[in-house]
Amino acid sequence: MSEGPTGFDALQSLSSNPQADAPVHERKVDAQGRAYATGKRKNAIAKVWIKPGKGQITINGRDQEVYFARPVLRMMIAQPLEVTDRLGQFDVVVSVEGSGLSGQAGAIRHGLSKALTYYEPGLRPVLKPHGFLTRDPRVVERKKYGKAKARRSFQFSKR
């Protein structure tokens, strides 16, 4: 039989330092000093670029006040910047398509959060507990055969 540690000692020698196994997040910035990320929500896809600036947010070539008339949607977009205390420090350029305005705002929030972590990896522990880095998996359920909609049945008639 082999000589050496047995039982729990053998298991301990197999395991390495748990912090060494944790992924190290690197800074991902292009030649122009911008960080890029893609955010998704429902059927909306947002391509987000951030760079240091005056805090201007441009969506599809328009100002955010013009694109999102509802203050709730503008507040939703600004949440990652507020949580990380970076409001007014980054210029954000967004190209978004698909879904409705609410889905687009969620996609922009997701993309902006990812872009912030690419620009400053130290912000990840601040954004993660708020759920900004998690893609919302809820999408519209498909219509089923023999049903009026996804779950709605046709109206019942006795005669």
Side-chain angles (χ1 to χ4, degrees), residues 63-85:
D63 196 39
Q64 69 167 342
E65 280 83 17
V66 176
Y67 195 85
F68 290 118
R70 290 170 49 199
V72 175
L73 299 177
R74 290 197 302 267
M75 178 206 70
M76 206 170 143
I77 292 169
Q79 280 178 334
L81 295 169
E82 289 174 3
V83 168
T84 56
D85 293 327

Side-chain angles (χ1 to χ4, degrees), residues 20-38:
D21 292 340
V24 178
H25 299 285
E26 295 180 7
R27 191 167 190 247
K28 297 178 188 171
V29 181
D30 65 4
Q32 287 88 20
R34 303 175 303 182
Y36 167 79
T38 305

Side-chain angles (χ1 to χ4, degrees), residues 29-100:
V29 181
D30 65 4
Q32 287 88 20
R34 303 175 303 182
Y36 167 79
T38 305
K40 295 182 180 181
R41 169 83 164 81
K42 293 186 177 178
N43 282 336
I45 299 171
K47 300 169 188 168
V48 182
W49 290 268
I50 63 166
K51 63 180 179 181
K54 299 176 185 139
Q56 219 170 6
I57 299 176
T58 309
I59 303 162
N60 289 353
R62 292 187 273 173
D63 196 39
Q64 69 167 342
E65 280 83 17
V66 176
Y67 195 85
F68 290 118
R70 290 170 49 199
V72 175
L73 299 177
R74 290 197 302 267
M75 178 206 70
M76 206 170 143
I77 292 169
Q79 280 178 334
L81 295 169
E82 289 174 3
V83 168
T84 56
D85 293 327
R86 301 291 187 274
L87 206 59
Q89 293 182 20
F90 288 102
D91 284 345
V92 182
V93 178
V94 181
S95 174
V96 66
E97 60 184 21
S99 196

Side-chain angles (χ1 to χ4, degrees), residues 82-154:
E82 289 174 3
V83 168
T84 56
D85 293 327
R86 301 291 187 274
L87 206 59
Q89 293 182 20
F90 288 102
D91 284 345
V92 182
V93 178
V94 181
S95 174
V96 66
E97 60 184 21
S99 196
L101 290 177
S102 178
Q104 288 182 352
I108 292 170
R109 181 175 77 173
H110 182 227
L112 181 56
S113 303
K114 282 173 63 176
L116 281 169
T117 59
Y118 292 155
Y119 195 84
E120 291 183 56
L123 296 178
R124 190 173 174 82
V126 179
L127 291 167
K128 189 85 170 139
H130 293 282
F132 295 152
L133 298 175
T134 307
R135 193 240 195 258
D136 192 348
R138 297 175 296 171
V139 291
V140 177
E141 192 174 347
R142 76 171 192 88
K143 183 195 176 301
K144 274 65 163 201
Y145 170 76
K147 297 277 187 175
K149 292 177 16 176
R151 297 184 181 212
R152 169 103 168 95
S153 298
F154 293 109

